[in-house]
Amino acid sequence: MNILIEYCTQWNYEPRALRLGELLKNKFGINVTLLESSGGVFEVFLQKEPAGKDAPSQKISIFSKKELNRFPNEGEVEELLEGWEEVK
């Protein structure tokens, strides 16, 4: 189980991504990967490991600034992740 945070470097979203990554690591004890991107994105994905040797990993959108046109509110991503059994 892994959380992927894709963030825009052009708009300097890295500090926000780092803070959220640390918070998620501390709260859930799971791996967080930061992915540099562009275009004003701030996306949070849950990456599930493949079910079998040849199966691809799944990338499930948890939060999308691109879709909602805003950053997550305080505690919002954590609350969204609490519904996933794999994270608990």
Side-chain angles (χ1 to χ4, degrees), residues 42-57:
F42 192 87
E43 314 296 306
V44 181
F45 299 98
L46 177 64
Q47 283 189 301
K48 294 179 72 174
E49 296 302 318
K53 185 175 95 171
D54 296 326
S57 64

Side-chain angles (χ1 to χ4, degrees), residues 36-88:
E36 293 180 357
S37 191
S38 60
V41 299
F42 192 87
E43 314 296 306
V44 181
F45 299 98
L46 177 64
Q47 283 189 301
K48 294 179 72 174
E49 296 302 318
K53 185 175 95 171
D54 296 326
S57 64
Q58 286 184 297
K59 193 164 105 172
I60 301 162
S61 178
I62 299 297
F63 182 88
S64 174
K65 178 182 176 288
K66 197 174 199 176
E67 287 179 20
L68 299 173
N69 201 30
R70 65 173 176 83
F71 286 103
N73 296 319
E74 187 174 328
E76 184 174 7
V77 172
E78 301 93 287
E79 187 175 310
L80 292 168
L81 286 172
E82 285 175 350
W84 291 90
E85 279 299 315
E86 296 89 349
V87 178
K88 294 180 184 173

